Amino acid sequence: MNKSIKIYIAILVFVLTLILISDRNEKKPIDWRPTFSVHDKIPYGLYILNKEIKPLLKNQKIEKIADVTPYEYLDSKYDADTLVENYKIEGTFLSISDLENIDEQSVKELFYFVSHGNNVFLSMRTFPEALMDSLKIDTKFEFHEPKNNLIWMANKNVSSKKYIFQQSVEDYFSKIDTANTTVLGYQSNEKKERHINFIKVPYKYGNFYLHTQPAAFTNFHLLKKDHFQYAEDVFSYIPKGDVFWYTKLQNDKSISHSPLRFIHSQPALKWAWYLSLLGILIFIIFNAKRKQRIVPILKPLPNLTVDFTKTIGNLYYQEGDHENLIDKKIIYFLEKIRNEYLIDTTKLDDVFIQKLHHKTGKNLADIRELVFLINEHRNSYHGSLEEDLIRINNAIEKILH
């Protein structure tokens, strides 16, 4: 291994070690995201509720719906083959989330489920529009200091205790159908304004129980003093029977399917991962630049035929055999014309001159002069052989170069 590579690796390991050591004793920051997931142990998760829901709903069978929508689940439980169409299940549909997590088709199915004598319990800050329009209700939210906010039950026979509820957002029912709605709970802010946060709305043969403070069921509040008693008071309104707890969307939002989810969940490992990737990238860039392979220079293959011809020509020239040398140059020239341009060289006439001019693009006058010199030599109309050799050689060079 190259010495410089070893140095880079050592520096990278040293930096990563420093990061891990410095972050080892750092207190992990609290995750205040309202995930409302049954798997999350953070303040606004439902891990404690998931573990303690059986004591809160005593002697009631609890089934979790985690893989399908309410519509898909309830529709699969509907029996349309019997004489009297009805659901195969009876009980209460339960959902606890920060914001509405039920689609419009599922809302219609919930109304149908309630119309057959079942119940729906929803604890949300906001409810689906279709649900509020049908039940003639509306909600409102206000921001307040997270102190001196109180929540309590409307029926003192259930509980007369008021609980301090430290939430900065106060959601409540701003509009209800007073002729058809029972108020079950209240809340107040630091201004001592009382608002409704828990209602019961009958619908045909069943009931909707709607609650605007889902945070009351999170880890933060269930572990805070005696707040678990408030959760018990609210759940006491759920009729005895089976409970179908919808947890699908909360799970989907909180659980990452990434293979790096644990690394990203730990700040020290996350930054170590990012620095490792950065270090590898820098190493690749600089090392590739320094180690680039040298591209060899390939010399073109020499034209041995030309070299041979020049050698033979020099030999004839030194021997003084000018006529033989002229003949050889003419033969070489005509052979090259036949092979490269596919022109017949039997007759060196005007047709030959025009073809050679078109195919080579050489000056027409130079071609005419060369053809004239070749024909003149062949017909022995020449004077000094040495002068003829020079003239023919120059004329050939003009055409071939």
Side-chain angles (χ1 to χ4, degrees):
M1 186 181 291
N2 195 310
K3 183 179 179 181
S4 61
I5 297 177
K6 293 180 179 178
I7 294 174
Y8 292 144
I9 294 175
I11 292 173
L12 184 60
V13 171
F14 178 71
V15 171
L16 294 178
T17 304
L18 283 180
I19 293 173
L20 292 174
I21 292 175
S22 62
D23 199 69
R24 182 179 58 184
N25 297 323
E26 284 285 331
K27 189 176 180 180
K28 187 176 179 180
I30 298 175
D31 186 354
W32 291 97
R33 290 178 302 128
T35 62
F36 286 84
S37 169
V38 295
H39 298 281
D40 283 345
K41 298 180 181 180
I42 59 179
Y44 288 106
L46 299 179
Y47 181 81
I48 300 299
L49 179 63
N50 184 46
K51 296 298 181 182
E52 300 297 330
I53 193 169
K54 288 185 179 180
L56 290 173
L57 298 173
K58 297 173 184 176
N59 301 321
Q60 292 178 265
K61 180 184 175 182
I62 301 169
E63 180 181 348
K64 292 178 186 173
I65 307 169
D67 300 318
V68 294
T69 65
Y71 168 76
E72 292 170 328
Y73 176 78
L74 294 175
D75 186 62
S76 67
K77 303 297 181 181
Y78 187 72
D79 190 357
D81 296 330
T82 58
L83 184 61
V84 179
E85 296 181 358
N86 206 339
Y87 286 91
K88 300 175 186 178
I89 58 173
E90 292 182 356
T92 302
F93 177 88
L94 169 66
S95 179
I96 301 171
S97 64
D98 185 41
L99 302 174
E100 59 165 299
N101 63 341
I102 301 175
D103 60 277
E104 187 173 346
Q105 187 63 38
S106 294
V107 170
K108 294 179 181 179
E109 189 66 29
L110 288 178
F111 273 104
Y112 203 63
F113 182 64
V114 172
S115 68
H116 283 72
N118 298 293
N119 302 283
V120 169
F121 181 99
L122 304 178
S123 183
M124 304 175 178
R125 286 180 51 204
T126 60
F127 299 91
E129 287 291 333
L131 178 73
M132 293 194 293
D133 291 342
S134 298
L135 299 181
K136 299 178 182 179
I137 61 174
D138 201 357
T139 59
K140 187 177 181 181
F141 70 91
E142 295 178 355
F143 289 93
H144 294 280
E145 289 293 328
K147 60 182 180 179
N148 300 326
N149 298 321
L150 301 177
I151 53 176
W152 68 94
M153 306 304 294
N155 188 345
K156 292 185 179 181
N157 292 326
V158 176
S159 175
S160 60
K161 187 172 183 177
K162 293 185 177 181
Y163 302 87
I164 298 176
F165 196 65
Q166 294 183 345
Q167 292 294 117
S168 58
V169 178
E170 180 187 4
D171 298 275
Y172 59 89
F173 292 103
S174 58
K175 173 188 173 184
I176 62 173
D177 182 4
T178 55
N180 196 38
T181 302
T182 303
V183 177
L184 303 179
Y186 294 101
Q187 63 190 35
S188 67
N189 52 38
E190 73 277 4
K191 298 179 182 178
K192 308 300 180 183
E193 298 172 338
R194 189 180 73 168
H195 298 297
I196 301 170
N197 71 353
F198 189 22
I199 60 174
K200 171 186 175 183
V201 185
Y203 181 79
K204 294 186 178 180
Y205 298 105
N207 299 283
F208 281 92
Y209 295 88
L210 307 179
H211 183 254
T212 63
Q213 291 297 348
F217 304 102
T218 60
N219 303 327
F220 179 79
H221 286 285
L222 289 181
L223 296 176
K224 189 176 181 63
K225 296 181 181 179
D226 54 358
H227 283 198
F228 69 93
Q229 294 176 356
Y230 177 75
E232 287 182 341
D233 296 338
V234 174
F235 276 167
S236 68
Y237 280 98
I238 295 180
K240 295 298 179 181
D242 295 343
V243 175
F244 311 100
W245 187 8
Y246 180 55
T247 62
K248 178 178 183 293
L249 292 187
Q250 295 95 311
N251 292 341
D252 289 347
K253 290 179 181 177
S254 63
I255 298 178
S256 171
H257 299 286
S258 170
L260 300 175
R261 59 181 177 272
F262 179 75
I263 291 177
H264 288 297
S265 67
Q266 307 297 320
L269 290 177
K270 182 175 70 173
W271 283 109
W273 170 252
Y274 289 152
L275 283 174
S276 299
L277 293 179
L278 180 62
I280 293 172
L281 180 62
I282 293 174
F283 170 77
I284 291 174
I285 293 173
F286 283 94
N287 197 58
K289 184 178 180 180
R290 296 180 61 185
K291 300 294 182 181
Q292 186 177 8
R293 293 177 59 189
I294 298 173
V295 179
I297 299 175
L298 299 177
K299 294 182 178 180
L301 295 174
N303 190 335
L304 299 179
T305 303
V306 174
D307 292 342
F308 175 75
T309 303
K310 287 182 178 179
T311 301
I312 297 299
N314 290 332
L315 179 62
Y316 280 115
Y317 185 76
Q318 291 172 3
E319 292 294 326
D321 193 355
H322 298 141
E323 184 174 2
N324 199 356
L325 184 56
I326 293 173
D327 292 336
K328 292 291 188 296
K329 280 187 170 290
I330 293 173
I331 293 171
Y332 167 73
F333 169 72
L334 296 178
E335 177 69 19
K336 188 175 180 66
I337 295 301
R338 286 192 297 273
N339 292 335
E340 289 191 12
Y341 301 110
L342 304 177
I343 300 176
D344 183 18
T345 59
T346 305
K347 294 180 63 177
L348 303 183
D349 52 11
D350 288 338
V351 175
F352 171 81
I353 292 172
Q354 291 295 331
K355 287 183 179 180
L356 186 60
H357 169 63
H358 290 309
K359 289 196 175 185
T360 62
K362 298 298 182 178
N363 188 280
L364 186 61
D366 293 337
I367 297 175
R368 288 187 184 277
E369 181 184 2
L370 175 58
V371 171
F372 171 77
L373 292 174
I374 293 174
N375 290 330
E376 185 184 41
H377 175 74
R378 285 179 172 178
N379 295 323
S380 299
Y381 298 137
H382 51 76
S384 173
L385 289 176
E386 184 174 358
E387 291 181 1
D388 290 345
L389 174 61
I390 294 172
R391 291 171 60 194
I392 290 175
N393 181 71
N394 290 339
I396 291 175
E397 290 293 327
K398 289 180 181 180
I399 305 303
L400 296 184
H401 297 285

